Amino acid sequence: MTQRDDNLPEKGSVDLQPDVERIHRAIRREPGDPTEGREPAPWFFVATIAVSLFWGGWYLGQHGGEFSTRTHLAMSSRDAGTAASAANQNTLAIDDPVAAGQAVFEKHCVACHQGNGLGIAGAFPPVIGSEWVTGEAEVLVRILLHGMQGPVMVAGAPYNGAMPAWRDVLQDPELAALATYLRQWDSNDASPVDAATVSALRAETAGRTAAYSADELR
Ligand code: HEC
């Protein structure tokens, strides 16, 4: 005869019908288990990428300088005012002033003075056959650094316009190369200009903000 196991609970002493309602309520309160899968990226993540791409493209468009080394070298002089950038005015090494001067002219000057250097009658004076170009080098450099404005006679014809300043755009070696190129272009036949001459004039006229008038330069 087998003995009854007294450790077994008496029938009816244990709740064999648990409170299903209560357990389900507890389960429903739990957050869902994480699952693996292709969840959509959060909108702010997508928006951040879109904005960065857009800004990057815009910035490159504004400051890319057409991906030309020349532009970037010229731009390094733009943060004018600091001692470092002032010292940098003379660091650009130019092997062939005439070629470099021509490149600068074609980039910055042809819009007004035209590709043939003859300007447009009544509006933009010629640089070929101009006494301002082939005269005293110092006068030409002053015009290039600070611009020129007001009535002027060039090669026997009157002009009255405004020529922009280049002091913040072009470094001294570029300005020297440009001046040299202009002074020896086509029928022009005058002495070359070196960067030291430009640097000296830049320093001498450092406080200047206005363009020169022809009277002032004469
Ligand atoms: C926005 C048009 C414009 C641009 C760009 C321009 N110039 Fe001029 N330039 C003029 C005008 C206008 C004058 C005459 C100013 C006056 O009437 O007093 C002039 C005058 C000059 C003169 C003295 C007169 C003469 O023709 O010899 C020189 C030299 C000169 N510019 C060179 C340059 C060079 C080099 C560049 C490029 C770095 C340049 N200019 C860019 C409009 C321009």
Side-chain angles (χ1 to χ4, degrees):
M1 184 155 167
T2 46
Q3 275 251 277
R4 270 196 70 225
D5 190 346
D6 281 323
N7 288 334
L8 277 178
E10 285 281 325
K11 202 175 187 176
S13 68
V14 172
D15 188 1
L16 291 178
Q17 288 288 139
D19 186 346
V20 178
E21 283 284 313
R22 188 176 54 79
I23 291 172
H24 279 200
R25 246 184 281 119
I27 290 172
R28 262 191 257 108
R29 275 202 305 274
E30 297 283 326
D33 283 339
T35 54
E36 256 184 283
R38 294 178 156 271
E39 296 294 319
W43 67 266
F44 53 85
F45 182 69
V46 176
T48 306
I49 289 177
V51 168
S52 315
L53 282 175
F54 183 80
W55 176 80
W58 174 85
Y59 189 87
L60 210 58
Q62 292 290 304
H63 304 289
E66 295 158 14
F67 295 98
S68 140
T69 26
R70 173 158 297 286
T71 315
H72 286 281
L73 288 167
M75 273 183 161
S76 64
S77 68
R78 284 246 173 91
D79 32 325
T82 68
S85 79
N88 277 343
Q89 295 290 357
N90 237 333
T91 55
L92 189 61
I94 288 178
D95 299 327
D96 183 346
V98 171
Q102 182 174 11
V104 174
F105 186 84
E106 277 163 13
K107 183 167 170 57
H108 295 293
C109 320
V110 291
C112 295
H113 295 285
Q114 305 298 296
N116 60 11
L118 298 178
I120 294 177
F124 304 115
V127 289
I128 293 176
S130 159
E131 61 276 33
W132 297 98
V133 173
T134 54
E136 249 184 276
E138 189 186 300
V139 169
L140 174 60
V141 172
R142 282 177 192 267
I143 293 173
L144 297 181
L145 278 171
H146 300 289
M148 191 185 206
Q149 204 167 358
V152 60
M153 290 295 287
V154 182
Y159 296 87
N160 189 354
M163 147 95 174
W166 299 97
R167 59 176 179 269
D168 297 332
V169 180
L170 298 169
Q171 296 188 38
D172 296 350
E174 290 176 302
L175 286 167
L178 176 62
T180 299
Y181 171 67
L182 293 179
R183 284 164 72 79
Q184 300 182 352
W185 188 7
D186 206 70
S187 58
N188 287 356
D189 185 14
S191 57
V193 177
D194 61 11
T197 305
V198 180
S199 301
L201 275 166
R202 183 191 285 273
E204 190 188 317
T205 60
R208 193 175 179 96
T209 51
Y212 285 103
S213 69
D215 285 345
E216 220 178 328
L217 289 168
R218 216 173 277 116

